[in-house]
Amino acid sequence: MEFRELKEKDGKYIAATYNRFSAEIYDGNGATLRSEDGKEYIDFGSGIAVNSFGVNDREWKDAVIAQINKVQHASNLYYTRPQAELAELLCKKTGTRKVFFSNSGAEANECAIKAARKYSFDKYGEGRFHIVTLKNSFHGRTMATLSATGQDVMHKYFMPFLGGFSYAEPTFAGVKKECGNGTCAVMLELVQGEGGVKALDATEVKKIEAFCKSNDILLIIDEVQTGNGRTGRLYAYEHYGISPDIVTTAKGLAGGLPLGATMFFEKCENTFSAGDHGSTFGGNPVACAGALSILSRIDEKLLLEVQGKSAYLRTHLGRIANVVEVSGLGLMIGLEITKNAREVAEKCLERGLIVLTAKNKIRLLPPLTVSKGEMDAGLKILNEVLSE
Ligand SMILES: *Cc1c(COP(=O)(O)O)cnc(C)c1O
């Protein structure tokens, strides 16, 4: 099938929700992807921060295939080893006490929202359900997580949205202003991903944490994008020296398979009991086997490499013409540019480089294992396109 036919078929049969780039991803190796006709792309997108170790990582594939050869799905009515082992590893690495597994970022956040409301209900009774999120945040596409998302452009067509959310300026004063007696939680991305790759100020975050602690307001950190080594720490909250009550993650967790996790620290470890929440696919053994392979290899050495690669990329990106500012943390990098980001992304693609956008910024999320050669090849194309 020619690419033209593929596009036709896709256009005819797939719901038109995606504004796809004009490229087919067929196979590849590490941070190099290929279309069926052999065109190669350097991958600075990782399938939106999902392919943590690139594609076709040998160890990851061995772990996934070994599980596929045992059992592919069991449901949560029974015990499976990869799920229990992954939960144990997450708890040991982060100090979290309990984990709920789902299939996506939105579901991980949906679970956090339910847990925050139940925690408050159990302790304070009805009426204390309000959750404060930030302006420009992104928490997912389900009705609850869209309601939690602080962007007006997302609040169209689908009324009524779920009540009980408000959106604060990304400062301590802003968050405090939105919190009242009915507030049960504050939910934050520490580096806003879709909102433009902006890291929150550490002093402000520390103040928000202290305010939440003294008012028994749960602090939920959405690490769907920032988690699993992406920022140069296992989870981005470690950069900020804070102790959240709930951390959600998904994207890079299973290295390419759908898996979400909601992690409950001490305060809410016993919030859920049997029947309070559930998922048919959540914590699927194949996805968990993939996650075990990824998570067990995100060690200090790898995190230092991520930090080194980040510094290397940022230095070189900062020197490129028409780049106004380089933002972000670790291998989650935003470029404010004087050109149209979508057009730049399309030109990069034509020349063999995959980059993402976030608002009018270029967003770079290369695999954590991206090589020096791949980084240099990508930088060369970005330099050519942005200097034009
Ligand atoms: C991508 C993302 C989500 C939604 O994840 P899905 O897997 O697409 O449901 C939620 N929060 C953040 C911060 C994200 O980057």
Side-chain angles (χ1 to χ4, degrees):
M1 182 167 56
E2 298 235 336
F3 182 44
R4 184 184 46 79
E5 291 171 73
L6 167 60
K7 274 169 99 169
E8 262 170 39
K9 207 189 281 293
D10 185 292
K12 188 162 176 205
Y13 295 110
I14 305 275
T17 59
Y18 299 110
N19 185 15
R20 297 197 205 282
F21 286 98
S22 189
E24 178 199 2
I25 310 298
Y26 185 77
D27 63 6
N29 202 344
T32 304
L33 302 176
R34 253 183 311 273
S35 62
E36 214 263 332
D37 61 13
K39 183 170 161 69
E40 288 200 350
Y41 299 95
I42 300 293
D43 181 17
F44 278 7
S46 308
I48 322 185
V50 168
N51 298 325
S52 303
F53 287 12
V55 296
N56 279 305
D57 177 74
R58 188 70 257 167
E59 229 180 290
W60 180 87
K61 280 212 293 191
D62 286 347
V64 167
I65 291 165
Q67 183 56 43
I68 284 183
N69 285 331
K70 289 190 187 115
V71 74
Q72 305 78 45
H73 173 77
S75 91
N76 284 304
L77 299 174
Y78 313 98
Y79 296 92
T80 54
R81 282 160 199 238
Q83 197 183 115
E85 279 167 14
L86 178 60
E88 180 186 37
L89 189 59
L90 278 167
C91 288
K92 289 203 163 145
K93 278 183 176 263
T94 63
T96 194
R97 299 294 183 91
K98 291 273 195 316
V99 185
F100 179 87
F101 289 115
S102 53
N103 311 284
S104 67
E107 283 175 278
N109 288 336
E110 190 88 26
C111 171
I113 292 164
K114 284 177 74 175
R117 289 188 171 175
K118 173 135 198 293
Y119 170 86
S120 198
F121 183 93
D122 289 346
K123 216 163 155 182
Y124 302 99
E126 272 181 50
R128 193 175 178 274
F129 55 74
H130 193 84
I131 298 175
V132 176
T133 67
L134 297 187
K135 289 192 173 147
N136 221 22
S137 56
F138 181 78
H139 297 295
R141 299 283 196 163
T142 63
M143 285 306 297
T145 57
L146 261 189
S147 304
T149 292
Q151 299 188 42
D152 290 342
V153 287
M154 301 260 184
H155 295 164
K156 296 188 294 191
Y157 321 127
F158 310 117
M159 287 69 84
F161 288 90
L162 188 66
F165 291 94
S166 65
Y167 320 106
E169 293 294 336
T171 58
F172 167 58
V175 168
K176 194 175 165 212
K177 199 167 141 226
E178 295 300 326
C179 288
N181 290 336
T183 304
C184 68
V186 169
M187 178 152 90
L188 312 170
E189 291 161 274
L190 292 168
V191 186
Q192 289 189 336
E194 313 299 317
V197 202
K198 266 189 297 235
L200 296 188
D201 181 86
T203 321
E204 300 294 315
V205 172
K206 282 296 268 186
K207 283 191 205 159
I208 294 169
E209 182 202 28
F211 174 77
C212 287
K213 291 242 142 69
S214 61
N215 291 286
D216 199 18
I217 293 171
L218 297 177
L219 183 58
I220 305 171
I221 304 296
D222 177 346
E223 299 240 19
V224 171
Q225 194 162 151
T226 53
N228 315 301
R230 176 55 50 193
T231 68
R233 294 282 173 97
L234 183 56
Y235 291 99
Y237 72 80
E238 297 167 39
H239 287 286
Y240 286 79
I242 55 168
S243 315
D245 300 303
I246 302 178
V247 171
T248 61
T249 194
K251 289 191 168 89
L253 177 60
L257 289 169
L259 184 66
T262 309
M263 296 184 257
F264 300 109
F265 288 75
E266 207 172 344
K267 254 192 188 176
C268 350
E269 69 172 313
N270 297 315
T271 295
F272 278 153
S273 38
D276 285 341
H277 197 45
S279 166
T280 301
F281 284 112
N284 166 279
V286 179
C288 287
L292 272 166
S293 166
I294 298 292
L295 205 63
S296 61
R297 285 184 284 159
I298 303 180
D299 53 13
E300 277 311 308
K301 181 169 165 283
L302 183 102
L303 293 171
L304 280 176
E305 282 169 23
V306 168
Q307 291 167 24
K309 288 171 189 179
S310 171
Y312 182 78
L313 283 174
R314 293 178 71 118
T315 304
H316 287 84
L317 290 165
R319 292 181 189 145
I320 294 178
N322 297 310
V323 171
V324 179
E325 195 198 5
V326 185
S327 65
L329 213 49
L331 286 176
M332 184 171 175
I333 299 176
L335 297 183
E336 195 185 326
I337 53 174
T338 57
K339 294 173 176 259
N340 179 287
R342 175 81 191 193
E343 280 168 27
V344 168
E346 280 167 1
K347 282 186 184 158
C348 285
L349 192 70
E350 273 168 36
R351 294 179 198 210
L353 172 67
I354 288 175
V355 300
L356 306 173
T357 64
K359 300 274 179 276
N360 195 44
K361 280 190 176 181
I362 293 292
R363 176 171 45 150
L364 308 179
L365 300 162
L368 309 183
T369 49
V370 65
S371 69
K372 171 102 176 7
E374 288 162 335
M375 287 193 287
D376 288 340
L379 283 167
K380 183 163 175 282
I381 295 172
L382 266 170
N383 190 29
E384 283 166 17
V385 170
L386 282 166
S387 303
E388 265 174 8

